[in-house]
Amino acid sequence: MTGNQQHNEPKHKRDLTRRKVVVAGAGAAVAVGAGAALATGAFAGEEAGAASASGTSTAEVCYKLTSETTEGPYYIDADKIRRDITEDKEGIPLVLNLKVIDSETCKPIADAAVDIWHCDALGIYSGYESLSTGGGGTAPTDAPSGAPSGTPTGEPPSGAPSGGTGGGGHEEPTDDERYLRGTWRTDQHGKVTFRTIFPGWYRGRTVHIHTKVHVDGEWTDAGYEGGHTCHTGQFFFDEESVLASAEVEPYSTSTTERTTLTEDTIYDQSGTAGGLLKLKYARKNIAKGVVGSITMGVDPDATNDGTSL
């Protein structure tokens, strides 16, 4: 995920055999802002939406293992079992149609737990609001003036504390907010759909969404328990869509320096295999909503928790 603090302790430890989550209460808020109708309609007909938005067949993505990336410091373990993660956050409605397949057999992986989390329209992460300034606030005096060099082990947030290293290990949450975070179960076709908003950006990173895929666990009345994380990745947005979003409020109010897709040090420039979403939206009016889709080819026998990259 994606804050930094000067201390490294306590070290975040996670035992997935004791993984347990709480089912979110009913009545999650719908997306706020103009143009919610397009995304709402797509969410209601998610199976059709996935097909029309992707424009690709299984054959095109089969046998391609989706890129593993860093977890980042802002992950909170499956805190909300829900498909609508918007809460009251303003932004361009986004329907995210995901499919999980075994990269070797091409068969869909059913009953997997898929996590997604991302920042809001101004680059703020729930659970870590105090580690971000948002809206392009004053950057730390020791922050780089351009895109970071090398391959980072984490993600520097906008407004990270002075003296931070750009993020390495997990950071403990600093508040109780949990907007733009959620977990849901893949169906028999390996598909899962989330409703959220188009993410904003923060210093040092291109626009992205984090994801994890957990398998071999058990779904209970309490949520999802046990199993292991077979994939930790990120979804990315093409420059055309990001530039279009930057013309829409509240994105247009941000003064934060933006890192482009080609400048980003996490995206590996490999297109769909690297997490690049296929997007569908009204080219002259992105504010009406966006439908994004991608098929993730994973190795269900592997363990990729994103903490050692």
Side-chain angles (χ1 to χ4, degrees):
M1 201 182 306
T2 90
N4 302 345
Q5 295 176 341
Q6 296 179 16
H7 63 275
N8 294 322
E9 297 293 332
K11 182 178 180 181
H12 183 64
K13 295 182 180 179
R14 207 172 287 112
D15 184 352
L16 286 176
T17 63
R18 298 196 300 270
R19 178 186 178 88
K20 187 170 183 179
V21 294
V22 179
V23 177
V30 298
V32 177
L38 184 151
T40 300
F43 188 74
E46 59 196 51
E47 296 301 326
S52 62
S54 65
T56 186
S57 65
T58 302
E60 292 180 85
V61 292
C62 189
Y63 300 105
K64 290 184 179 179
L65 195 65
T66 302
S67 300
E68 299 295 330
T69 70
T70 176
E71 173 189 281
Y74 290 169
Y75 178 56
I76 300 176
D77 193 3
D79 190 70
K80 297 285 187 181
I81 303 298
R82 58 184 181 180
R83 291 190 294 175
D84 188 337
I85 67 174
T86 310
E87 293 193 17
D88 60 349
K89 302 308 292 183
E90 295 184 357
I92 298 168
L94 171 65
V95 169
L96 201 57
N97 292 313
L98 310 176
K99 184 175 182 180
V100 183
I101 64 170
D102 184 316
S103 64
E104 291 189 5
T105 67
C106 299
K107 293 181 179 180
I109 299 178
D111 297 325
V114 178
D115 300 332
I116 67 167
W117 70 99
H118 62 85
C119 67
D120 69 8
L122 294 179
I124 306 296
Y125 278 91
S126 64
Y128 301 87
E129 291 184 340
S130 66
L131 298 181
S132 303
T133 57
T138 303
T141 56
D142 60 348
S145 58
S149 59
T151 302
T153 56
E155 299 180 28
S158 173
S162 179
T165 62
H170 176 83
E171 295 288 353
E172 292 303 314
T174 60
D175 60 69
D176 295 329
E177 297 292 338
R178 295 295 183 268
Y179 53 81
L180 306 179
R181 298 176 179 276
T183 302
W184 199 254
R185 181 180 189 169
T186 58
D187 65 15
Q188 62 181 336
H189 305 293
K191 295 181 179 180
V192 61
T193 295
F194 291 94
R195 181 191 293 165
T196 183
I197 63 169
F198 200 100
W201 58 88
Y202 52 93
R203 190 179 181 90
R205 286 303 316 280
T206 193
V207 176
H208 65 283
I209 293 175
H210 291 265
T211 189
K212 281 180 178 283
V213 177
H214 312 277
V215 295
D216 295 333
E218 180 181 2
W219 289 94
T220 69
D221 291 341
Y224 186 76
E225 302 179 14
H228 67 278
T229 306
C230 70
H231 174 63
T232 299
Q234 297 180 28
F235 304 133
F236 299 94
F237 298 77
D238 60 59
E239 281 295 299
E240 182 181 3
S241 66
V242 174
L243 289 172
S245 73
E247 300 298 318
V248 179
E249 290 188 357
Y251 309 89
S252 60
T253 66
S254 175
T255 58
T256 302
E257 180 182 1
R258 187 176 69 81
T259 298
T260 67
L261 189 64
T262 56
E263 294 170 336
D264 192 68
T265 56
I266 301 296
Y267 175 57
D268 63 10
Q269 313 298 322
S270 64
T272 301
L276 186 64
L277 293 166
K278 292 184 179 297
L279 303 177
K280 181 179 179 180
Y281 58 93
R283 299 294 167 175
K284 294 184 179 180
N285 193 356
I286 195 173
K288 286 185 175 181
V290 177
V291 177
S293 64
I294 194 168
T295 296
M296 292 179 280
V298 305
D299 178 355
D301 297 323
T303 296
N304 292 302
D305 62 12
T307 60
S308 59
L309 296 178

